[in-house]
Amino acid sequence: RVAITAGTDETEFEEYPSGKYKRSEDMIQRFLRVDHAGEVGANDIYAGQMAVLGRTKEAPLIQHMWDQEKEHKSKMNELLVEHRVRPTVLLPFWRAAGFALGAGTALIGKEGAMACTVAVEDTIVTHYTDQIREIIDQGKEEEYQDLLKIIKKFRDDELEHHDTGIEHGAELAPQYKLLTKVIKLGCLTAIKIAERV
């Protein structure tokens, strides 16, 4: 909206309310696109782990975490439709990479699989916390209160998975610090890309 002050040549530019609305929608679309990609990838990570460890004593534990990720994925699918958000165009790549990561680390052994879980979930917990903070900083907590509840619930589930990984020997994996550092870097890169495409 343009306002011209009478008797002067001064022109004041004021932003349409729709501009603020568009920024909010852009933020939510960015959130949902990357969160959906993350939950799909997490599902495939656990699928890869189960392909290797499905007949071991660790299988029920991995299956429990996978079942929670399936719920997350299902909810994210609903939210994409509700908010008319297209998924990332790189989804097939994330799926293949997720399965390969899950299976590859599981081949190291139970500790490798748990180290993968710790690294991925640590990154996702931070990511979800950043989203919660951004919504609050934008003053949108009331407008998006339902979405906030979902993100907080997912964040807490991922934190539980992280702690489970630690409790079940993640830090005993060969080259634990290097392994988790590389996985975290990969996750952060995937997040940045998925936010944009």
Side-chain angles (χ1 to χ4, degrees):
R1 181 173 59 194
V2 179
I4 301 177
T5 306
T8 72
D9 292 328
E10 296 178 3
T11 303
E12 298 177 1
F13 291 90
E14 299 177 11
E15 191 171 36
Y16 275 113
S18 59
K20 296 179 181 178
Y21 172 80
K22 184 178 185 305
R23 282 203 302 275
S24 294
E25 280 300 294
D26 287 347
M27 176 181 72
I28 297 306
Q29 290 208 3
R30 172 167 49 87
F31 283 4
L32 294 181
R33 180 176 299 111
V34 68
D35 291 352
H36 174 262
E39 297 299 346
V40 169
N43 267 268
D44 288 301
I45 288 172
Y46 286 113
Q49 291 182 353
M50 286 295 288
V52 176
L53 300 173
R55 295 187 178 182
T56 66
K57 64 180 181 179
E58 285 76 31
L61 176 66
I62 297 171
Q63 185 65 55
H64 169 69
M65 293 189 287
W66 189 12
D67 287 341
Q68 288 183 311
E69 297 296 351
K70 289 177 181 178
E71 293 177 7
H72 295 182
K73 177 184 172 183
S74 177
K75 188 60 182 180
M76 279 298 163
N77 284 335
E78 293 177 13
L79 290 172
L80 284 192
V81 174
E82 178 183 340
H83 291 269
R84 299 181 179 181
V85 179
R86 64 161 179 79
T88 173
V89 297
L90 296 177
L91 200 60
F93 173 77
W94 299 149
R95 295 204 61 184
F99 187 90
L101 176 61
T105 52
L107 285 170
I108 299 173
K110 177 199 76 171
E111 293 81 5
M114 292 298 115
C116 173
T117 294
V118 167
V120 171
E121 303 297 18
D122 182 67
T123 306
I124 299 306
V125 166
T126 300
H127 169 70
Y128 276 141
T129 300
D130 288 343
Q131 287 189 341
I132 292 166
R133 186 178 295 115
E134 186 171 347
I135 291 174
I136 294 173
D137 288 347
Q138 294 288 333
K140 299 294 183 179
E141 59 266 42
E142 184 173 346
E143 181 178 353
Y144 294 114
Q145 57 182 320
D146 291 340
L147 181 59
L148 265 178
K149 289 179 183 177
I150 292 168
I151 294 176
K152 288 178 179 178
K153 169 65 166 58
F154 288 5
R155 189 266 315 269
D156 292 346
D157 287 346
E158 311 299 4
L159 182 58
E160 177 189 321
H161 297 172
H162 170 276
D163 294 346
T164 296
I166 293 293
E167 291 166 5
H168 286 81
E171 294 171 310
L172 299 177
Q175 298 295 319
Y176 170 76
K177 290 185 178 180
L178 177 61
L179 178 63
T180 52
K181 182 178 181 179
V182 170
I183 293 173
K184 287 180 182 181
L185 180 60
C187 290
L188 289 170
T189 301
I191 287 171
K192 294 301 182 184
I193 294 173
E195 284 181 335
R196 289 164 173 77
V197 297

Short mmCIF file of all heavy atoms in Angstrom, two decimals, residues 20-57:
data_model
loop_
_atom_site.label_atom_id
_atom_site.label_comp_id
_atom_site.label_asym_id
_atom_site.label_seq_id
_atom_site.Cartn_x
_atom_site.Cartn_y
_atom_site.Cartn_z
N LYS A 20 2.70 -9.93 5.28
CA LYS A 20 3.04 -10.63 6.51
C LYS A 20 2.47 -12.04 6.48
O LYS A 20 3.11 -13.00 6.92
CB LYS A 20 2.49 -9.86 7.72
CG LYS A 20 3.10 -8.49 7.90
CD LYS A 20 2.49 -7.77 9.09
CE LYS A 20 3.09 -6.37 9.25
NZ LYS A 20 2.47 -5.65 10.38
N TYR A 21 1.28 -12.16 5.95
CA TYR A 21 0.66 -13.48 5.85
C TYR A 21 1.48 -14.39 4.95
O TYR A 21 1.71 -15.55 5.27
CB TYR A 21 -0.76 -13.36 5.29
CG TYR A 21 -1.42 -14.67 4.98
CD1 TYR A 21 -1.98 -15.44 5.99
CD2 TYR A 21 -1.47 -15.16 3.68
CE1 TYR A 21 -2.58 -16.66 5.71
CE2 TYR A 21 -2.06 -16.38 3.39
CZ TYR A 21 -2.63 -17.11 4.41
OH TYR A 21 -3.21 -18.32 4.12
N LYS A 22 1.97 -13.83 3.85
CA LYS A 22 2.77 -14.62 2.91
C LYS A 22 4.06 -15.10 3.58
O LYS A 22 4.48 -16.24 3.39
CB LYS A 22 3.09 -13.82 1.65
CG LYS A 22 3.84 -14.62 0.59
CD LYS A 22 4.09 -13.81 -0.65
CE LYS A 22 4.71 -14.67 -1.75
NZ LYS A 22 5.95 -15.34 -1.30
N ARG A 23 4.67 -14.24 4.38
CA ARG A 23 5.89 -14.65 5.07
C ARG A 23 5.62 -15.80 6.03
O ARG A 23 6.41 -16.72 6.14
CB ARG A 23 6.51 -13.46 5.81
CG ARG A 23 7.27 -12.50 4.91
CD ARG A 23 8.30 -11.71 5.69
NE ARG A 23 7.69 -10.95 6.78
CZ ARG A 23 7.17 -9.75 6.64
NH1 ARG A 23 7.15 -9.17 5.46
NH2 ARG A 23 6.65 -9.11 7.67
N SER A 24 4.48 -15.73 6.72
CA SER A 24 4.11 -16.81 7.63
C SER A 24 3.89 -18.11 6.87
O SER A 24 4.35 -19.18 7.28
CB SER A 24 2.83 -16.45 8.40
OG SER A 24 3.05 -15.35 9.25
N GLU A 25 3.19 -18.01 5.75
CA GLU A 25 2.93 -19.20 4.95
C GLU A 25 4.24 -19.76 4.38
O GLU A 25 4.42 -20.97 4.32
CB GLU A 25 1.96 -18.87 3.82
CG GLU A 25 0.51 -18.83 4.25
CD GLU A 25 0.05 -20.17 4.82
OE1 GLU A 25 0.00 -21.15 4.05
OE2 GLU A 25 -0.25 -20.23 6.02
N ASP A 26 5.14 -18.89 3.96
CA ASP A 26 6.43 -19.34 3.45
C ASP A 26 7.20 -20.09 4.54
O ASP A 26 7.85 -21.11 4.27
CB ASP A 26 7.26 -18.15 2.96
CG ASP A 26 6.73 -17.59 1.65
OD1 ASP A 26 5.90 -18.26 1.00
OD2 ASP A 26 7.14 -16.47 1.28
N MET A 27 7.12 -19.57 5.76
CA MET A 27 7.81 -20.20 6.88
C MET A 27 7.24 -21.60 7.13
O MET A 27 8.00 -22.58 7.27
CB MET A 27 7.66 -19.36 8.15
CG MET A 27 8.27 -19.98 9.40
SD MET A 27 8.03 -18.95 10.88
CE MET A 27 6.25 -19.18 11.15
N ILE A 28 5.92 -21.71 7.16
CA ILE A 28 5.29 -23.00 7.42
C ILE A 28 5.54 -23.98 6.29
O ILE A 28 5.80 -25.16 6.52
CB ILE A 28 3.77 -22.81 7.65
CG1 ILE A 28 3.53 -21.96 8.89
CG2 ILE A 28 3.08 -24.16 7.79
CD1 ILE A 28 4.21 -22.46 10.16
N GLN A 29 5.52 -23.50 5.05
CA GLN A 29 5.81 -24.39 3.93
C GLN A 29 7.24 -24.90 4.02
O GLN A 29 7.51 -26.08 3.76
CB GLN A 29 5.59 -23.65 2.61
CG GLN A 29 4.11 -23.38 2.32
CD GLN A 29 3.82 -23.31 0.84
OE1 GLN A 29 4.68 -23.52 0.00
NE2 GLN A 29 2.57 -23.01 0.51
N ARG A 30 8.15 -24.02 4.38
CA ARG A 30 9.56 -24.43 4.54
C ARG A 30 9.69 -25.47 5.65
O ARG A 30 10.37 -26.49 5.48
CB ARG A 30 10.41 -23.19 4.86
CG ARG A 30 11.84 -23.48 5.24
CD ARG A 30 12.67 -22.19 5.22
NE ARG A 30 12.05 -21.11 5.94
CZ ARG A 30 12.20 -20.88 7.25
NH1 ARG A 30 12.96 -21.70 7.99
NH2 ARG A 30 11.63 -19.84 7.84
N PHE A 31 9.02 -25.22 6.77
CA PHE A 31 9.06 -26.16 7.89
C PHE A 31 8.54 -27.53 7.48
O PHE A 31 9.18 -28.56 7.71
CB PHE A 31 8.21 -25.64 9.05
CG PHE A 31 8.83 -24.53 9.86
CD1 PHE A 31 10.05 -23.98 9.50
CD2 PHE A 31 8.19 -24.04 10.98
CE1 PHE A 31 10.63 -22.96 10.25
CE2 PHE A 31 8.75 -23.03 11.74
CZ PHE A 31 9.96 -22.49 11.37
N LEU A 32 7.36 -27.53 6.86
CA LEU A 32 6.71 -28.81 6.56
C LEU A 32 7.46 -29.59 5.49
O LEU A 32 7.53 -30.82 5.54
CB LEU A 32 5.26 -28.58 6.15
CG LEU A 32 4.35 -28.02 7.25
CD1 LEU A 32 2.92 -27.87 6.74
CD2 LEU A 32 4.37 -28.92 8.49
N ARG A 33 8.00 -28.87 4.51
CA ARG A 33 8.73 -29.57 3.45
C ARG A 33 9.94 -30.31 4.03
O ARG A 33 10.17 -31.49 3.73
CB ARG A 33 9.18 -28.60 2.37
CG ARG A 33 9.96 -29.27 1.23
CD ARG A 33 10.30 -28.29 0.11
NE ARG A 33 9.10 -27.72 -0.47
CZ ARG A 33 8.72 -26.45 -0.35
NH1 ARG A 33 9.48 -25.60 0.31
NH2 ARG A 33 7.60 -26.02 -0.90
N VAL A 34 10.71 -29.63 4.85
CA VAL A 34 11.92 -30.26 5.39
C VAL A 34 11.57 -31.29 6.46
O VAL A 34 12.21 -32.34 6.56
CB VAL A 34 12.89 -29.19 5.94
CG1 VAL A 34 12.34 -28.50 7.17
CG2 VAL A 34 14.25 -29.82 6.24
N ASP A 35 10.53 -31.04 7.24
CA ASP A 35 10.15 -31.99 8.29
C ASP A 35 9.61 -33.28 7.67
O ASP A 35 9.90 -34.39 8.16
CB ASP A 35 9.09 -31.39 9.21
CG ASP A 35 9.64 -30.26 10.06
OD1 ASP A 35 10.87 -30.04 10.05
OD2 ASP A 35 8.85 -29.58 10.75
N HIS A 36 8.84 -33.14 6.60
CA HIS A 36 8.35 -34.32 5.90
C HIS A 36 9.52 -35.14 5.35
O HIS A 36 9.58 -36.36 5.51
CB HIS A 36 7.40 -33.91 4.78
CG HIS A 36 6.96 -35.04 3.91
ND1 HIS A 36 7.55 -35.33 2.70
CD2 HIS A 36 5.99 -35.99 4.09
CE1 HIS A 36 6.95 -36.38 2.16
NE2 HIS A 36 6.01 -36.80 2.98
N ALA A 37 10.47 -34.46 4.73
CA ALA A 37 11.64 -35.14 4.19
C ALA A 37 12.40 -35.86 5.29
O ALA A 37 12.86 -37.00 5.12
CB ALA A 37 12.55 -34.15 3.47
N GLY A 38 12.52 -35.21 6.44
CA GLY A 38 13.24 -35.80 7.56
C GLY A 38 12.56 -37.04 8.10
O GLY A 38 13.21 -38.05 8.40
N GLU A 39 11.24 -36.98 8.23
CA GLU A 39 10.51 -38.13 8.75
C GLU A 39 10.50 -39.29 7.76
O GLU A 39 10.57 -40.46 8.16
CB GLU A 39 9.08 -37.73 9.13
CG GLU A 39 8.98 -36.70 10.25
CD GLU A 39 9.60 -37.17 11.56
OE1 GLU A 39 9.88 -38.38 11.71
OE2 GLU A 39 9.81 -36.33 12.45
N VAL A 40 10.44 -38.99 6.47
CA VAL A 40 10.54 -40.05 5.46
C VAL A 40 11.92 -40.68 5.54
O VAL A 40 12.06 -41.92 5.54
CB VAL A 40 10.28 -39.48 4.05
CG1 VAL A 40 10.64 -40.52 2.98
CG2 VAL A 40 8.81 -39.09 3.90
N GLY A 41 12.95 -39.85 5.62
CA GLY A 41 14.31 -40.37 5.71
C GLY A 41 14.52 -41.22 6.96
O GLY A 41 15.17 -42.27 6.91
N ALA A 42 13.95 -40.77 8.09
CA ALA A 42 14.08 -41.52 9.34
C ALA A 42 13.43 -42.89 9.22
O ALA A 42 13.97 -43.90 9.71
CB ALA A 42 13.45 -40.73 10.48
N ASN A 43 12.28 -42.94 8.56
CA ASN A 43 11.62 -44.24 8.33
C ASN A 43 12.53 -45.19 7.57
O ASN A 43 12.62 -46.37 7.90
CB ASN A 43 10.32 -44.02 7.57
CG ASN A 43 9.12 -43.86 8.47
OD1 ASN A 43 8.44 -44.83 8.78
ND2 ASN A 43 8.87 -42.63 8.90
N ASP A 44 13.20 -44.66 6.56
CA ASP A 44 14.05 -45.52 5.75
C ASP A 44 15.34 -45.90 6.48
O ASP A 44 15.88 -46.98 6.24
CB ASP A 44 14.35 -44.84 4.41
CG ASP A 44 13.12 -44.83 3.52
OD1 ASP A 44 12.59 -45.90 3.20
OD2 ASP A 44 12.67 -43.73 3.15
N ILE A 45 15.80 -45.04 7.37
CA ILE A 45 16.95 -45.40 8.20
C ILE A 45 16.61 -46.62 9.06
O ILE A 45 17.37 -47.60 9.12
CB ILE A 45 17.39 -44.22 9.09
CG1 ILE A 45 18.07 -43.14 8.24
CG2 ILE A 45 18.35 -44.69 10.19
CD1 ILE A 45 18.36 -41.86 8.99
N TYR A 46 15.45 -46.57 9.72
CA TYR A 46 15.06 -47.70 10.56
C TYR A 46 14.74 -48.93 9.73
O TYR A 46 14.99 -50.07 10.17
CB TYR A 46 13.88 -47.32 11.46
CG TYR A 46 14.29 -46.42 12.60
CD1 TYR A 46 13.87 -45.10 12.68
CD2 TYR A 46 15.12 -46.90 13.60
CE1 TYR A 46 14.27 -44.28 13.72
CE2 TYR A 46 15.53 -46.09 14.64
CZ TYR A 46 15.10 -44.77 14.69
OH TYR A 46 15.51 -43.97 15.73
N ALA A 47 14.22 -48.74 8.52
CA ALA A 47 13.99 -49.87 7.62
C ALA A 47 15.31 -50.55 7.29
O ALA A 47 15.42 -51.78 7.27
CB ALA A 47 13.28 -49.41 6.35
N GLY A 48 16.34 -49.74 7.04
CA GLY A 48 17.66 -50.28 6.75
C GLY A 48 18.25 -51.02 7.95
O GLY A 48 18.85 -52.09 7.80
N GLN A 49 18.05 -50.45 9.14
CA GLN A 49 18.54 -51.11 10.34
C GLN A 49 17.84 -52.46 10.56
O GLN A 49 18.48 -53.45 10.90
CB GLN A 49 18.34 -50.21 11.56
CG GLN A 49 19.23 -48.99 11.57
CD GLN A 49 19.06 -48.13 12.80
OE1 GLN A 49 18.18 -48.37 13.62
NE2 GLN A 49 19.91 -47.12 12.95
N MET A 50 16.54 -52.49 10.34
CA MET A 50 15.79 -53.72 10.53
C MET A 50 16.15 -54.77 9.48
O MET A 50 16.09 -55.97 9.76
CB MET A 50 14.29 -53.44 10.52
CG MET A 50 13.78 -52.77 11.78
SD MET A 50 13.95 -53.81 13.26
CE MET A 50 12.68 -55.04 12.94
N ALA A 51 16.51 -54.32 8.29
CA ALA A 51 16.91 -55.27 7.25
C ALA A 51 18.15 -56.05 7.68
O ALA A 51 18.34 -57.21 7.29
CB ALA A 51 17.19 -54.53 5.95
N VAL A 52 18.99 -55.41 8.50
CA VAL A 52 20.22 -56.06 8.95
C VAL A 52 20.05 -56.71 10.32
O VAL A 52 20.53 -57.83 10.56
CB VAL A 52 21.37 -55.03 9.00
CG1 VAL A 52 22.64 -55.66 9.57
CG2 VAL A 52 21.64 -54.47 7.61
N LEU A 53 19.35 -56.03 11.22
CA LEU A 53 19.26 -56.48 12.62
C LEU A 53 17.89 -57.03 12.99
O LEU A 53 17.60 -57.23 14.17
CB LEU A 53 19.61 -55.32 13.55
CG LEU A 53 21.02 -54.72 13.38
CD1 LEU A 53 21.18 -53.47 14.25
CD2 LEU A 53 22.09 -55.74 13.71
N GLY A 54 17.05 -57.27 11.99
CA GLY A 54 15.67 -57.67 12.25
C GLY A 54 15.49 -58.97 12.99
O GLY A 54 14.43 -59.22 13.56
N ARG A 55 16.52 -59.82 13.01
CA ARG A 55 16.41 -61.10 13.71
C ARG A 55 17.31 -61.17 14.94
O ARG A 55 17.59 -62.25 15.46
CB ARG A 55 16.75 -62.25 12.76
CG ARG A 55 15.76 -62.38 11.61
CD ARG A 55 16.01 -63.62 10.79
NE ARG A 55 15.02 -63.76 9.73
CZ ARG A 55 14.97 -64.78 8.88
NH1 ARG A 55 15.87 -65.75 8.97
NH2 ARG A 55 14.05 -64.84 7.95
N THR A 56 17.75 -60.02 15.39
CA THR A 56 18.59 -59.98 16.59
C THR A 56 17.75 -59.55 17.79
O THR A 56 16.60 -59.15 17.65
CB THR A 56 19.75 -58.97 16.41
OG1 THR A 56 19.19 -57.64 16.33
CG2 THR A 56 20.52 -59.26 15.13
N LYS A 57 18.35 -59.59 18.95
CA LYS A 57 17.62 -59.22 20.17
C LYS A 57 17.32 -57.73 20.22
O LYS A 57 16.49 -57.28 21.02
CB LYS A 57 18.40 -59.65 21.41
CG LYS A 57 19.74 -58.95 21.59
CD LYS A 57 20.44 -59.45 22.85
CE LYS A 57 21.78 -58.73 23.06
NZ LYS A 57 22.46 -59.20 24.29
#
